[in-house]
Structures are given as structure tokens and as C-alpha cells.
Amino acid sequence: MDEKKKSIDDLLSDLGVLEEAPVEVELKEAGKEPAEKGPKEVLENFLVGLLLRLDPAHYVEVRQEGNVLKAEVKGGDLGRFIGKEGRTLKAVEYLAGVVLAKHFGGAYRVVLDAAGYRKRQEEKIRKIAEEAALTVAMTQEPLHLPPMRPSERRIVHMLLKNHPQVTTESQGEGEERHVVVYPRGQAPAGTPGEA
């Protein structure tokens, strides 16, 4: 069967993600027992194993900043790796987090990017937040932003947290959860700035 036509379940099974046993994605040197691996090495091994199966032109660079591991995928068809609205990228980030959690519990967090996609998305959210703050400050009317993921809502809340004229609050449930920007002092009772 052509490698590219394998189902995602087959790929994940090959990487040990769907199995109940601990994930064992390691590159072993002949005749040597693998040394205890740190979170950076575990993440690199998982991502390299996955990327080699998806497109051998992909490669990854991983940096560890405290308990956050930042991985940047480069090379190959990154548009396909990112997926529509970043869905594939988010799914791989989630799986990488599961792999680290199996090895180290909840001690580490993974941030995965490809071709600067996350940075561009963050800039887009910042621009939306700044424009919303300006609009609310001028009109003195609350403004409902479109539904966003928790990380995007957090960017809006943090950016506008100390704004002198507006405050924020998250409203809605599930996929419909969004940020409302209020003129300062007009927000309903609740916890302003919650993600």
C-alpha cells in the first residue's frame, strides 16, 4: 500500500499513539540502549517519526523554554501540513501534547508552528482586538467578537486587560464562546477577562 494513502489511524498506530502502552517512538543506535530522554528529545523523536511518514521533506526544530516546548516544522508542503484553518497543525500539536503527557504527566506544554502560521494568526487576533477597542471606545457600545479558541480569546483579554477605556468578558459555550468588548464600567456582573 502506498505510504501516503495509509489512514491516519495506521500512522498513529505505527507511532504508538493509539495503543494503551506508553509511547515508544525512539531512534536507536545499533548495539546501544537508549538513555533516559528528556522532553525535548521525546518531542523531537515523535515529530520526526510522524513527519517522515507524511513528507520526507519536512523537518522540525524544537526549543525548550522552561516547561514550554516550541516546535517549528519546516520544508515540504507546509500548507498541507497546516491544513484548513490550521486544523492539521492543531491536531498534531494535541497529539504531541498527549505523547509528552504519557512520558512526563502534565509538566510540559507544546506549541507547534509551521511556516509562521501561528504568529500570523496571533497578529490577526491582535489587530481584531485593537480595532474592537477603538470602536467600543468611540461608540460606547459593547461589541461581540467572532467565536475564538481559548488561546485566541486569551490574547484578546491580555491585550486589552489594562486598556483605559474598555474591558473584556468571554461569553457563550463550546464552539460559540467569544469575547465581548465593553466600555470600561459597563460590563455585566461576572468575571472580566476570563478565557
Side-chain angles (χ1 to χ4, degrees), residues 53-170:
R53 287 171 172 84
L54 296 176
D55 183 347
H58 291 321
Y59 63 98
V60 65
E61 294 176 359
V62 178
R63 294 186 328 273
Q64 184 171 353
E65 297 174 4
N67 67 341
V68 177
L69 292 139
K70 295 184 176 184
E72 175 81 21
V73 177
K74 299 179 177 185
D77 180 5
L78 291 174
R80 192 169 148 230
F81 179 77
I82 293 167
K84 185 176 180 180
E85 297 176 3
R87 288 185 188 137
T88 306
L89 181 67
K90 289 176 225 160
V92 173
E93 180 180 84
Y94 174 79
L95 291 173
V98 168
V99 169
L100 282 182
K102 284 188 174 203
H103 283 271
F104 305 102
Y108 298 97
R109 190 169 65 90
V110 176
V111 176
L112 182 62
D113 199 1
Y117 175 80
R118 289 283 171 107
K119 187 173 183 167
R120 287 191 308 275
Q121 288 303 105
E122 185 174 316
E123 287 303 315
K124 180 179 165 186
I125 297 299
R126 287 179 181 278
K127 186 173 181 175
I128 289 170
E130 289 167 356
E131 289 174 359
L134 181 61
T135 300
V136 170
M138 288 175 47
T139 65
Q140 291 297 299
E141 295 291 326
L143 180 63
H144 292 255
L145 299 181
M148 296 177 182
R149 293 186 312 278
S151 59
E152 295 169 337
R153 292 192 308 270
R154 194 172 308 113
I155 291 168
V156 175
H157 292 308
M158 295 305 293
L159 184 65
L160 300 180
K161 181 178 182 179
N162 296 319
H163 194 284
Q165 297 173 305
V166 302
T167 188
T168 60
E169 179 182 67
S170 288

Side-chain angles (χ1 to χ4, degrees), residues 174-186:
E175 296 288 318
E176 296 301 313
R177 194 146 173 85
H178 63 282
V179 175
V180 181
V181 181
Y182 290 97
R184 191 161 288 282
Q186 291 186 27

Side-chain angles (χ1 to χ4, degrees), residues 26-40:
E26 299 178 3
L27 301 176
K28 298 179 183 178
E29 289 184 42
K32 291 187 179 179
E33 282 297 312
E36 187 65 32
K37 296 196 182 283
K40 182 179 176 191

